[in-house]
Each structure stands twice: as C-alpha cells, then as structure tokens.
Amino acid sequence: MENLLISACLMGFECKYSGGSNALDKDKLAALRTRYRLVPVCPESAGGLPTPRAPSERRDGKVINKLGQDVTEEYRMGAETALYLARRYGCTKALLKERSPSCGSGKIYDGSFTGTLVPGDGTAAEELNAAGFAVYGESEMDKLIK
C-alpha cells in the first residue's frame, strides 16, 4: 500500500489557525484509507506555531500574520518537516489544504487579508513541488481515489 502525505487538518486534527479542523467527509477519508497509508503533517505546527494562532498569508516572498509579524522562518521549518516526512515515509504524492499559506497549491491568499486569491503555492507545497512530489488540493481528491 502506498503512503500519502496529507494535511493533518484534513484528517480532523484540530491544528487549523483558528483551533478547528478542515476535516474531509468521512466517506472520502475512508476511500483514501483503502488505497493509502495516510501520513499526517501540519507544517505550521511542525514549524513551532501555536494553535490557535493569528491567520497568516504570503506576501512578497514572506509569510506575515494578521498582527503584522513575520513568521516566514516558522513556515520554512514546517515546509522542511513536510518534505522530510514525505521522503522518510516514501510518499510520492501529497494531499494538502487548498489556499493555505503553507499547504495551498495553485492559488493562495494575496497577503491583504481580504480573501483575494492569487496564483501561487504555500511554503510546504512549494517545497514538495520543487522536490518532485505530486501535490493535490482537497478539491482534486477524486484523482487520488480512482
């Protein structure tokens, strides 16, 4: 059975910035488990950020939280941890939380905290993509189940 790196919040872990989760539908999660051993990671927690925490967005190559603090280093450390886990467990694919400043793939928030999406990747998705891993957002989950 193949291993799949997955955002911990998608599995129901309460590591979202607000303290909640982004849990997937139980049937979809069960379908994933029939094909993969799931390797959960929350790059933000792994980078040392607390839960709950101020929301953050990428802007000008940095990650800034809503309080104006630069949390780029924590996000970078979390991205390195995600990459380490993917390699350690022999994952070739990752299912990550869309629009997240760490896990978003393809579109992320623009750094203005207005809900505006722009093309781009979160820090962990960017690191995984650069290392050759296939990164999927939760809206693309059906591609992993088929």
Side-chain angles (χ1 to χ4, degrees):
M1 185 178 279
E2 187 178 351
N3 290 338
L4 176 70
L5 190 73
I6 183 171
S7 292
C9 65
L10 295 177
M11 291 184 64
F13 289 86
E14 294 184 342
C15 53
K16 182 177 174 178
Y17 76 91
S18 63
S21 77
N22 294 301
L24 295 171
D25 172 80
K26 290 180 187 203
D27 291 335
K28 289 196 177 211
L29 195 55
L32 279 174
R33 284 189 167 121
T34 65
R35 291 209 58 212
Y36 303 97
R37 277 186 296 277
L38 303 180
V39 178
V41 64
C42 174
E44 296 170 22
S45 295
L49 293 170
T51 302
R53 59 189 163 273
S56 299
E57 295 184 2
R58 291 192 82 178
R59 180 175 57 217
D60 301 325
K62 295 183 177 187
V63 184
I64 308 297
N65 71 20
K66 199 168 185 175
L67 304 174
Q69 299 165 323
D70 185 339
V71 289
T72 305
E73 184 60 21
E74 290 86 346
Y75 276 75
R76 188 191 62 72
M77 288 189 310
E80 289 176 6
T81 299
L83 180 59
Y84 169 79
L85 288 172
R87 287 179 172 153
R88 169 73 175 88
Y89 288 96
C91 301
T92 60
K93 301 171 189 163
L95 177 62
L96 302 179
K97 176 66 188 119
E98 294 173 342
R99 300 175 301 279
S100 159
S102 57
C103 294
S105 180
K107 287 189 176 186
I108 56 172
Y109 294 110
D110 71 350
S112 66
F113 297 96
T114 61
T116 304
L117 291 171
V118 295
D121 293 329
T123 54
E126 185 175 74
E127 190 88 9
L128 289 163
N129 275 320
F133 293 86
V135 177
Y136 299 85
E138 72 269 21
S139 69
E140 302 173 293
M141 190 170 61
D142 289 343
K143 294 177 184 176
L144 294 168
I145 297 172
K146 291 182 181 179

